[in-house]
Amino acid sequence: MRLKVRTLAGILAALLLLGWFGYRELPSFLYHQGYYQALLQWFPGHDYARPAINRLAMDITHETGMGESGYIFIQSSGGASSGGSGNTKLDREERAAIINKLEELLAQYGHTEQMSSVAYNLALMHFWMGNWDRSESLLQEVERLGGEGWISREEQAAYLAILESRHKQEGVPSLEGVVRIGDKPVPNAFVMVQRADDSTYYSPPLTHYPATITDENGRYRFYDIDPGEYDVAVGMPMEKISGYYMTESESKTALIDGKSAAVQNMQFVPQVIAVSPGRNELIQGDELTLQWKPYEGAAYYKLNLSYMYRDRDGKYRGATTIGLTDERYTGDQAAFSIRELNRNYNMNGKSYSQSEGVVLNTAGLLGMLFPGGEFAWSVDAYDEHDRKLSSSAGYFLLEDAVTPIFRTAEEGLSEGDRLVIAARYEEAVEAYKREGDNDHALRVLARLADQGIGQGDGDPAEALAYMERIQEPGGSDAEFIESLRERIQRKKQV
């Protein structure tokens, strides 16, 4: 069968058009099918090249983070925060292996604008590993290459300023000091300053405030800081300060006058040792006895209690901490009645999330040491001048708790109590109502009504009606009733 020339030409044109279209769409196909190396080899200048490089880098790093999540930042004023989210389970050797793979990727495709985001992430991994020189050179190279839209220039400048602060500077420092753990200076620790009147706090905080790095003698220096009062914070890997606590300085803040160097030393000392109850100990009966080891130089001690709570998957979600009492203890132990402590409802709190809905603080509903709960306790040591020397609390709770977490026996839990613990508040309300004029049930109903079991505010009038039915009110009941009446009165006046 013969084909006409015109028909043959049409077929060839169609094939060429189809081939051209296929070639044009080939980069997209390679990218979406995960053939990143082939894409970069055949189409190095295509728009898909940069995301392909980033995908290769992501395949290497997975969800490791840069390493900031392994750091903790502790303020001279007493606050503390972690460095951020991420996988903290990788050790230094594992992170070093990931860094080496990223270095190979960078060497393979060169320092180009398309590689700027890979080079930037590699620089941050070196930064958090303490490889300062390599991190600094990479950040300077990224600055030269450009790559706007793929990295934060403000963040890059902040990291670079921290690294450049290691180099010797001329003039009188605005602020200086030494960081020590025990008697040893701490090199390569981050130090940052934040105005004492600044109520905003970023987490991770490092790139949002002036920061520097301690030298081999643990000394830090800041230059050209505006006069004012500042909190000083130290950041270092969490494992470095395990078992230590930042003791209070004579001044919690540094006062910079712009004339001479202010001095603020940061000293970590051994924690107070909590003896009993120990971790995972079950407390049965009515008596709770707390015992600790005497701390050198302590004139008295204060005690704290933390209610630990989990999410619906059973993972620790957080803790609420309050002073157990206002009393100052001069010995090494203290005993309490759990029944009396459960008449204290100072741990109120309410949160909401789309995944979990409304969650109320269980200790604020059932009592400070309610049956079946998980609690941590800590002891703080003070000198005769009321300066806090140390604490058993440290800076770790949740799964890494140094503070001992104990449990109370479930004996005495009612149906309503179990429903509250399970955050099934509507069912709990109905269960408590079936108990009639039971003082405990009425107290919980009042607090559920006051806080509200939905996203909105509660009803203090409904809460007061429950409280007025209590047959044997205690001191905290009277305070709560008075508070409800005052709020109801203010609401009427609005």
Side-chain angles (χ1 to χ4, degrees), residues 223-398:
Y223 295 82
D224 300 323
I225 302 294
D226 293 335
E229 187 178 3
Y230 289 84
D231 279 332
V232 184
V234 176
M236 65 181 76
M238 293 180 180
E239 64 270 13
K240 266 197 172 184
I241 58 167
S242 180
Y244 288 88
Y245 190 85
M246 185 189 287
T247 192
E248 277 188 3
S249 303
E250 290 185 8
S251 174
K252 291 185 179 181
T253 56
L255 185 61
I256 297 176
D257 59 15
K259 300 176 183 177
S260 58
V263 177
Q264 187 81 0
N265 296 320
M266 316 292 277
Q267 179 77 41
F268 290 85
V269 298
Q271 289 178 220
V272 183
I273 297 177
V275 176
S276 178
R279 191 175 180 104
N280 295 326
E281 186 170 334
L282 179 66
I283 306 300
Q284 299 192 18
D286 184 52
E287 184 175 295
L288 171 66
T289 300
L290 305 180
Q291 186 177 3
W292 57 93
K293 286 188 177 181
Y295 196 81
E296 183 177 357
Y300 65 90
Y301 304 89
K302 285 189 173 183
L303 300 172
N304 308 294
L305 185 71
S306 299
Y307 157 59
M308 316 295 294
Y309 48 99
R310 300 175 182 263
D311 61 20
R312 297 182 190 274
D313 296 324
K315 295 181 179 180
Y316 283 116
R317 185 181 176 192
T320 302
T321 302
I322 64 169
L324 191 53
T325 69
D326 293 328
E327 189 171 342
R328 298 181 175 187
Y329 298 90
T330 55
D332 60 3
Q333 66 177 27
F336 303 91
S337 164
I338 292 178
R339 186 179 299 108
E340 289 302 315
L341 288 175
N342 277 340
R343 297 172 73 90
N344 189 324
Y345 298 88
N346 291 333
M347 292 185 175
N348 289 344
K350 181 177 182 178
S351 63
Y352 172 79
S353 67
Q354 290 186 341
S355 59
E356 295 190 9
V358 171
V359 177
L360 302 174
N361 189 312
T362 306
L365 297 171
L366 304 184
M368 185 183 285
L369 278 171
F370 65 89
E374 290 181 285
F375 307 91
W377 71 279
S378 60
V379 52
D380 301 333
Y382 291 81
D383 66 13
E384 65 274 12
H385 302 296
D386 299 328
R387 182 172 69 94
K388 190 175 182 178
L389 299 175
S390 185
S391 173
S392 68
Y395 301 101
F396 310 106
L397 285 175
L398 310 184

Side-chain angles (χ1 to χ4, degrees), residues 419-481:
L419 291 167
V420 163
I421 293 172
R424 294 160 58 182
Y425 303 118
E426 291 184 3
E427 296 173 67
V429 169
E430 296 305 315
Y432 286 127
K433 286 180 177 179
R434 289 194 294 268
E435 293 190 36
D437 284 349
N438 175 297
D439 282 358
H440 170 70
L442 291 170
R443 287 187 180 99
V444 184
L445 282 169
R447 282 164 174 78
L448 287 169
D450 182 44
Q451 296 184 55
I453 61 176
Q455 295 184 50
D457 295 333
D459 184 351
E462 182 184 358
L464 180 61
Y466 285 124
M467 291 301 296
E468 289 177 336
R469 289 165 54 189
I470 291 177
Q471 299 173 18
E472 298 181 9
S476 62
D477 293 331
E479 293 175 4
F480 186 41
I481 289 172

Side-chain angles (χ1 to χ4, degrees), residues 12-52:
L12 289 174
L15 289 173
L16 287 172
L17 182 63
L18 184 63
W20 174 83
F21 180 80
Y23 182 80
R24 193 188 69 170
E25 294 300 317
L26 185 57
S28 175
F29 173 81
L30 293 173
Y31 176 78
H32 289 100
Q33 294 300 314
Y35 298 117
Y36 307 126
Q37 296 280 10
L39 169 61
L40 292 168
Q41 181 179 351
W42 297 339
F43 305 95
H46 196 274
D47 290 343
Y48 274 106
R50 187 193 291 271

Side-chain angles (χ1 to χ4, degrees), residues 29-300:
F29 173 81
L30 293 173
Y31 176 78
H32 289 100
Q33 294 300 314
Y35 298 117
Y36 307 126
Q37 296 280 10
L39 169 61
L40 292 168
Q41 181 179 351
W42 297 339
F43 305 95
H46 196 274
D47 290 343
Y48 274 106
R50 187 193 291 271
I53 289 170
N54 290 335
R55 291 296 307 192
L56 283 173
M58 289 174 62
D59 288 345
I60 293 171
T61 58
H62 300 294
E63 297 180 358
T64 62
M66 297 302 118
E68 73 276 14
S69 58
Y71 274 72
I72 188 168
F73 294 84
I74 302 159
Q75 295 174 295
S76 57
S77 58
S81 67
S82 61
S85 61
N87 187 342
T88 62
K89 302 300 182 184
L90 298 180
D91 59 27
R92 289 187 65 83
E93 290 184 0
E94 291 171 317
R95 286 195 176 277
I98 292 170
I99 285 175
N100 288 338
K101 289 181 180 179
L102 288 177
E103 290 281 12
E104 291 173 2
L105 186 66
L106 186 61
Q108 182 178 359
Y109 295 105
H111 284 262
T112 65
E113 184 179 350
Q114 287 182 325
M115 289 294 292
S116 59
S117 58
V118 175
Y120 181 65
N121 288 331
L122 177 59
L124 297 195
M125 293 195 77
H126 276 298
F127 180 91
W128 291 105
M129 282 282 284
N131 304 328
W132 312 124
D133 292 338
R134 180 56 176 157
S135 179
E136 186 174 358
S137 67
L138 282 168
L139 288 172
Q140 288 170 344
E141 185 69 11
V142 170
E143 187 176 43
R144 183 187 68 80
L145 291 172
E148 278 75 5
W150 290 87
I151 62 175
S152 167
R153 287 300 173 189
E154 184 177 349
E155 183 183 73
Q156 178 201 359
Y159 278 116
L160 199 51
I162 294 169
L163 291 168
E164 291 173 345
S165 74
R166 299 175 300 140
H167 308 307
K168 187 175 180 180
Q169 300 183 48
E170 301 297 331
V172 177
S174 305
L175 172 67
E176 62 182 358
V178 177
V179 179
R180 292 186 179 89
I181 296 179
D183 297 328
K184 297 180 179 180
V186 183
N188 298 326
F190 298 119
V191 181
M192 67 180 196
V193 293
Q194 179 186 5
R195 283 194 171 274
D197 59 359
D198 183 2
S199 59
T200 303
Y201 188 79
Y202 295 91
S203 183
L206 194 60
T207 56
H208 297 279
Y209 310 98
T212 188
I213 300 170
T214 58
D215 62 19
E216 65 274 10
N217 298 313
R219 182 169 293 280
Y220 71 91
R221 297 176 180 87
F222 284 95
Y223 295 82
D224 300 323
I225 302 294
D226 293 335
E229 187 178 3
Y230 289 84
D231 279 332
V232 184
V234 176
M236 65 181 76
M238 293 180 180
E239 64 270 13
K240 266 197 172 184
I241 58 167
S242 180
Y244 288 88
Y245 190 85
M246 185 189 287
T247 192
E248 277 188 3
S249 303
E250 290 185 8
S251 174
K252 291 185 179 181
T253 56
L255 185 61
I256 297 176
D257 59 15
K259 300 176 183 177
S260 58
V263 177
Q264 187 81 0
N265 296 320
M266 316 292 277
Q267 179 77 41
F268 290 85
V269 298
Q271 289 178 220
V272 183
I273 297 177
V275 176
S276 178
R279 191 175 180 104
N280 295 326
E281 186 170 334
L282 179 66
I283 306 300
Q284 299 192 18
D286 184 52
E287 184 175 295
L288 171 66
T289 300
L290 305 180
Q291 186 177 3
W292 57 93
K293 286 188 177 181
Y295 196 81
E296 183 177 357
Y300 65 90

